[in-house]
Amino acid sequence: MSAPKKLFIKTYGCQMNVYDSERMAEALGGEGYVETKSPDDADMILLNTCHIREKAAEKVYSELGRFKGLKAEKPDLKIGVAGCVAQAEGQEIMRRQPLVDLVVGPQSYHRLPEMEAKARTGEKVLDTDFPEEDKFEKLKNRPKAKRGPTAFLTVQEGCDKFCAFCVVPYTRGAEVSRPADRILREAQDLVERGVREITLLGQNVNAYHGAGPNGDMTLAQLIWELDKVDGLERIRFTTSHPNDMQDDLIEAHGTCAKLMPYLHLPVQAGSDKILKRMNRAHTAESYLRLIERIRAARPDILISGDFIVGFPEETEEDFQATLDLVEEVKYGTAYSFKYSTRPGTPAAERAQVDPAAADDRLQRLQALLTKQQREVQDSMVGRDVTVLFEKAGRFPGQMVGKSDYLHAIHVADCDRAIGDLARVRILSSGANSLAGALIEK
Ligand code: SAH
Ligand code: SF4
Ligand code: F3S
């Protein structure tokens, strides 16, 4: 038998890309590939790319350039570009970087095995279709390998919201939900392989409306079905849009014990003028009222968000409204970005904010968000939380896991195994993590 071929995958961007990379590795696993951690011994290199901001897209080209020597040494090496840059730029990638043999979009990667075979014959192959078929159903040869305690599971993909800055509706396509029975089967399979916590993924995950036994189901209904899966201990979901936050989902946060008290709910900005220009279809006030309702259902929920500063036409006064909103919400964690012009999106055509002003705003916003994040983290000291252990720590006897609120928790003198859950008393708060001790030995 010949030695297995080696596959090196590098993943950029969001959690859905992480999930997709796993699926691609499985698809090529069926063709005799095993994964390697180094591009140097790979027979195939796949970059699973992100197009969300200019920097993310440019990284791909600089990374590709670095494979030139490798390819010269190893003419059989195949190089592929997958993900959102592949979708957005397609053929242009091969024009710009002739080293690339294969380009595959996020909706057609179930065809990778055939594409790889063609590439092996020396052909350049490109597939950025949005096919009718469900790629997840076409993916075969899923190995039953053991998994770590946490996993992602895509339940919804694509977006119909068309925020004026965003490429996702173009790269991921129209909003589609997977049928519930397939998701439940996949969840069951993950649990059998050792998974204890599943994060349901979707670009607008709370717009989920997949087919169920009695018509379309909401995300909350799907969560209640997952709640019945024995051995599954924790359910999370990301990313939600404020406009799709339905009553039954808010209620589930108060009543479903497996649903974790953490919600990523991007608002982007605090000025109604800017929100309107962003095509967000919510106001600062409606967002704040929504947060109030969610906190009424689950008072200790940790709120996370995304922000864009320096969106076209944003004034200092508009930016101040963002700071005001942040002050009011008190985020447990947040991601903030300087607006990045994306060709083909409506905002790209508008009056851009002076980059120095945008930098300054980003710094001020990040200072406030970091302060809040630290305060929320510090407020955990003295409290008891449940920790799911994910790995051994740096010190002997130490284990590291995540609390219900997704804080990283270090526990010394810990005799628990990876995948165990335990009650932990929080003793101190560090730069990016908390330290605690097992309550029951
Ligand atoms: N709903 C999506 C959002 C994806 S993009 C999801 O599944 O996460 C993640 C974040 O990137 C957005 O919430 C937004 O804050 C930021 N973003 C998107 N386009 C951007 C752009 N052109 N410039 C700067 N930040 C952007
Ligand atoms: Fe992009 Fe807006 Fe859709 Fe999120 S809701 S993916 S930011 S278009
Ligand atoms: Fe990036 Fe595509 Fe995800 S653009 S953020 S990889 S959906």
Side-chain angles (χ1 to χ4, degrees):
M1 220 177 91
S2 60
K5 289 175 282 183
K6 292 198 175 154
L7 170 68
F8 173 76
I9 304 192
K10 184 159 177 177
T11 308
Y12 303 81
C14 62
Q15 290 139 325
M16 197 175 282
N17 262 10
V18 175
Y19 178 84
D20 288 342
S21 289
E22 290 168 4
R23 301 290 80 75
M24 286 189 251
E26 285 177 0
L28 288 169
E31 308 303 305
Y33 276 92
V34 293
E35 270 191 90
T36 168
K37 297 224 177 310
S38 154
D40 299 336
D41 61 357
D43 300 285
M44 165 108 141
I45 293 174
L46 266 184
L47 301 185
N48 193 13
T49 62
C50 174
H51 200 248
I52 202 80
R53 285 169 288 275
E54 192 181 355
K55 263 201 196 128
E58 280 308 312
K59 257 194 224 158
V60 176
Y61 288 101
S62 61
E63 184 77 30
L64 284 170
R66 272 187 251 153
F67 298 137
K68 197 166 181 180
L70 213 53
K71 183 116 175 175
E73 276 169 36
K74 243 183 156 176
D76 282 346
L77 169 67
K78 297 296 165 197
I79 298 180
V81 178
C84 290
V85 175
Q87 191 63 47
E89 302 195 355
Q91 202 82 53
E92 175 62 22
I93 298 173
M94 288 176 179
R95 257 198 298 273
R96 224 177 122 176
Q97 184 44 274
L99 294 175
V100 175
D101 302 288
L102 183 160
V103 172
V104 63
Q107 299 308 350
S108 46
Y109 64 72
H110 53 293
R111 297 173 178 164
L112 258 177
E114 298 94 83
M115 295 177 73
E116 187 267 351
K118 265 194 197 162
R120 287 268 155 235
T121 69
E123 217 179 298
K124 297 252 177 193
V125 271
L126 173 128
D127 190 340
T128 49
D129 283 358
F130 287 107
E132 281 293 309
E133 71 261 19
D134 178 350
K135 66 176 177 250
F136 301 117
E137 285 304 290
K138 298 279 167 191
L139 290 166
K140 47 174 187 168
N141 298 314
R142 173 186 287 269
K144 292 280 178 192
K146 186 121 179 64
R147 305 243 342 194
T150 65
F152 295 129
L153 201 176
T154 292
V155 303
Q156 178 278 344
E157 199 172 351
C159 184
D160 297 334
K161 297 262 191 296
F162 291 93
C163 298
F165 49 80
C166 185
V167 295
V168 171
Y170 311 97
T171 62
R172 291 274 165 178
E175 207 262 287
V176 181
S177 294
R178 293 177 68 191
D181 58 340
R182 294 179 190 170
I183 295 165
L184 291 165
R185 228 188 300 143
E186 191 167 327
Q188 188 65 51
D189 174 67
L190 288 169
V191 169
E192 281 161 20
R193 292 158 65 191
V195 170
R196 294 284 164 267
E197 172 182 299
I198 292 180
T199 302
L200 306 175
L201 297 182
Q203 268 86 33
N204 272 302
V205 72
N206 57 345
Y208 177 81
H209 58 95
N214 309 306
D216 282 3
M217 287 172 75
T218 63
L219 182 65
Q221 288 168 334
L222 179 69
I223 287 169
W224 281 112
E225 286 305 310
L226 287 162
D227 182 67
K228 295 181 198 155
V229 175
D230 271 346
L232 178 62
E233 305 291 346
R234 290 175 155 188
I235 304 165
R236 303 181 184 277
F237 60 88
T238 197
T239 297
S240 299
H241 192 288
N243 295 1
D244 292 314
M245 205 65 210
Q246 297 166 45
D247 293 347
D248 60 348
L249 187 57
I250 296 176
E251 201 183 303
H253 270 292
T255 50
C256 179
K258 288 186 183 177
L259 185 57
M260 290 294 102
Y262 181 103
L263 179 67
H264 184 59
L265 196 62
V267 64
Q268 313 299 355
S271 143
D272 288 343
K273 177 194 99 188
I274 294 296
L275 287 170
K276 195 158 190 199
R277 295 292 281 153
M278 284 178 164
N279 195 29
R280 289 289 294 180
H282 59 77
T283 61
E285 185 62 23
S286 70
Y287 179 84
L288 290 170
R289 295 296 77 84
L290 180 59
I291 297 284
E292 246 171 40
R293 285 174 52 219
I294 296 161
R295 283 190 168 139
R298 180 78 203 229
D300 60 340
I301 198 163
L302 190 146
I303 302 289
S304 156
D306 287 346
F307 297 88
I308 296 178
V309 302
F311 184 76
E313 302 158 13
E314 182 188 72
T315 61
E316 178 56 31
E317 198 186 344
D318 293 320
F319 173 66
Q320 195 57 53
T322 299
L323 294 179
D324 293 346
L325 179 137
V326 170
E327 290 282 9
E328 203 156 328
V329 173
K330 220 171 192 304
Y331 286 90
T333 164
Y335 306 87
S336 46
F337 313 98
K338 192 162 78 154
Y339 170 71
S340 170
T341 310
R342 307 313 290 130
T345 59
E349 312 298 323
R350 302 186 193 152
Q352 306 292 313
V353 168
D354 168 42
D359 279 330
D360 175 62
R361 288 174 198 166
L362 184 63
Q363 273 188 21
R364 284 149 64 203
L365 175 61
Q366 288 185 338
L368 175 60
L369 288 168
T370 307
K371 181 171 140 273
Q372 289 194 344
Q373 184 167 335
R374 190 61 208 245
E375 281 166 7
V376 171
Q377 193 190 292
D378 291 350
S379 74
M380 295 283 157
V381 176
R383 287 182 54 184
D384 296 346
V385 295
T386 303
V387 175
L388 172 61
F389 292 109
E390 295 182 7
K391 59 183 183 194
R394 268 192 298 142
F395 304 106
Q398 188 193 46
M399 295 289 291
V400 186
K402 295 271 168 61
S403 74
D404 328 37
Y405 309 98
L406 216 50
H407 284 123
I409 315 280
H410 294 248
V411 181
D413 192 16
C414 180
D415 58 359
R416 305 302 157 96
I418 291 173
D420 282 356
L421 286 146
R423 293 290 286 169
V424 167
R425 180 151 305 154
I426 303 298
L427 302 174
S428 64
S429 175
N432 293 305
S433 65
L434 293 156
L438 291 177
I439 291 173
E440 280 169 35
K441 285 275 176 177

